[in-house]
Amino acid sequence: MAFINYVTQIQFEFGAVRLLTQECARVGITRPLVVTDPGVRAAGVLQPALDALEGLPVAVFDQTPSNPTEAAVRAAVQLYREQRCDGLIAVGGGSAIDCAKGIAIAATHEGPLTTYATIEGGSARITQAVAPLIAVPTTSGTGSEVARGAIIIVDDHRKLGFHSWHLVPRTAICDPGLTLGLPPRLTAATGMDAIAHCMETFMSAAFNPPADGIALDGLERGWHHIEAATRDGSDKDARLNMMSASMQGAMAFQKGLGCVHSLSHSLGGLNPGLHHGTLNAVFLPAVIRFNAEADSLKKDRRLERMAHAMGLPSGGDVAEAVKDMTARLGLPTGLAALGVTESLFDDVIRGAMADHCHTTNPRLASADDYRAMLAASM
């Protein structure tokens, strides 16, 4: 049976951050904890949100790491309780939003965070008691502002997914103006994350036509605007379309992802210093080629439909076009450039096969298949 659910309230426009106080009142937040990271604060991107919250007693947790951890969640929960907060506002990229989702669970549920991880059977344990959350993305990548999941590195160093419809932010405030100062490399890496979401969820075999339509439109927007956004950070049209592509990718991936994310989650857990979007860009070509065999047996020919959205001659051109785009954006195109060696392959494969995205790939991968994809991505 297909389960299809759309999704949350979204405020999408330049200047939408000004609506924060209004949205706090709507969802019943009177003492927010703002969750962000040092880079967002140092860049001055946090300040418009704080200005919009004038008049409310606000606490700030600004120590979210680039890959959120259970330790960071614990530290933020302590501040949440000390300041008697009653809700959360995440201001940042996917790391801050995912960290806030972890806080929303841990501040309101008993036991270690791992108890609530998807692969531990924890999704059903997450209840509507979660702290209310408003998400304000400052990058165009993960789309966590409209997603039911969070990815957090737990204390035993696994990078685990936490999924519940109770975790979907009550409001997503998508203000493309907050991304205008994003540096080129981060624009490229987060943008490839959004494109990976659109592509991989479109390839997934699950039945969800609305997700397919959203993903395909998001891919077209992302593919045709990522270079302009990277080249000229002040291009408002490019920034708007990249934020939309990011949001759309996450609206669609309720359908499921696949081997790209299984590999990225596993390797990112082993080395938290690696950027998730960059890893997705590196793994995409090998996974697309792996999926092509399954795609050729189906009538709907998804690679051909992606090629059309990307302006390519045929589905056979998609994998190489992704690699070429990654290179043009100035991102690494192989794992070796990221310092990854074959000595990690066994651990990466073990984690990938246990990941929640493994089973929703359109073609089920074996350990040998993952090894071949890793080797092709070096």
Side-chain angles (χ1 to χ4, degrees):
M1 178 184 294
F3 181 77
I4 301 170
N5 190 11
Y6 286 92
V7 167
T8 191
Q9 178 164 305
I10 302 165
Q11 300 281 6
F12 197 119
E13 66 174 336
F14 282 91
V17 70
R18 71 183 184 278
L19 303 175
L20 259 177
T21 299
Q22 166 191 309
E23 291 303 312
C24 282
R26 188 182 68 83
V27 304
I29 297 175
T30 63
R31 299 180 66 88
L33 175 67
V34 175
V35 180
T36 189
D37 64 59
V40 169
R41 186 161 210 167
V45 180
L46 176 64
Q47 196 57 48
L50 296 180
D51 292 344
L53 291 167
E54 187 176 359
L56 289 180
V58 175
V60 177
F61 177 79
D62 63 1
Q63 294 303 306
T64 303
S66 57
N67 284 281
T69 62
E70 188 172 357
V73 168
R74 275 197 301 273
V77 167
Q78 182 178 346
L79 180 61
Y80 184 93
R81 290 172 175 162
E82 287 174 352
Q83 297 297 317
R84 296 179 292 111
C85 296
D86 60 6
L88 297 153
I89 300 171
V91 182
S95 297
I97 300 172
D98 282 7
C99 188
K101 291 177 181 178
I103 299 162
I105 299 169
T108 54
H109 292 65
E110 296 296 327
L113 194 59
T114 310
T115 306
Y116 303 95
T118 301
I119 65 169
E120 302 288 345
S123 293
R125 302 186 189 110
I126 302 172
T127 73
Q128 62 184 0
V130 296
L133 169 62
I134 295 171
V136 186
T138 62
T139 65
S140 297
T142 69
S144 190
E145 69 274 6
V146 294
R148 72 189 191 281
I151 305 296
I152 297 171
I153 299 175
V154 297
D155 289 341
D156 64 10
H157 306 297
R158 289 181 296 164
K159 193 171 188 178
L160 300 185
F162 298 77
H163 297 84
S164 168
W165 294 106
H166 299 304
L167 291 178
V168 178
R170 305 287 183 87
T171 302
I173 295 183
C174 295
D175 183 342
L178 298 179
T179 70
L180 290 173
L182 203 65
R185 190 177 181 90
L186 192 55
T187 298
T190 55
M192 286 305 296
D193 191 19
I195 287 170
H197 291 157
C198 292
M199 297 183 80
E200 193 164 36
T201 199
F202 185 72
M203 288 186 285
S204 177
F207 182 79
N208 191 327
D212 289 340
I214 292 168
L216 206 58
D217 182 81
L219 170 60
E220 183 172 5
R221 290 175 187 275
W223 187 258
H224 291 291
H225 288 90
I226 189 170
E227 286 186 275
T230 301
R231 182 175 60 251
D232 178 6
S234 65
D235 185 326
K236 295 180 73 172
D237 183 60
R239 290 296 190 182
L240 181 143
N241 278 281
M242 288 310 300
M243 181 160 275
S244 184
S246 175
M247 176 190 71
Q248 289 174 252
M251 290 176 74
F253 69 45
Q254 62 172 267
K255 180 186 168 194
L257 292 164
C259 291
V260 171
H261 280 75
S262 296
L263 289 164
S264 292
H265 290 158
S266 181
L267 180 52
L270 294 167
N271 185 347
L274 297 175
H275 189 274
H276 176 69
T278 301
L279 289 178
N280 284 348
V282 169
F283 285 131
L284 258 174
V287 174
I288 290 169
R289 292 188 176 102
F290 174 73
N291 288 343
E293 180 177 319
D295 186 69
S296 66
L297 301 176
K298 296 178 180 178
K299 294 180 179 179
D300 56 0
R301 304 302 296 270
R302 291 180 177 257
L303 283 178
E304 294 297 331
R305 293 166 70 187
M306 289 197 300
H308 179 76
M310 298 161 73
L312 302 175
S314 73
D317 299 309
V318 172
E320 194 61 30
V322 170
K323 188 171 184 177
D324 289 346
M325 175 68 81
T326 302
R328 291 202 304 275
L329 295 172
L331 296 174
T333 57
L335 295 174
L338 297 171
V340 177
T341 64
E342 291 187 15
S343 63
L344 284 176
F345 280 13
D346 286 344
D347 289 337
V348 174
I349 292 165
R350 191 177 304 112
M353 295 192 73
D355 188 74
H356 64 274
C357 295
H358 168 65
T359 57
T360 51
N361 198 69
R363 180 184 174 197
L364 192 63
S366 68
D368 287 342
D369 291 328
Y370 275 124
R371 192 174 301 277
M373 285 184 264
L374 284 163
S377 302
M378 286 296 290

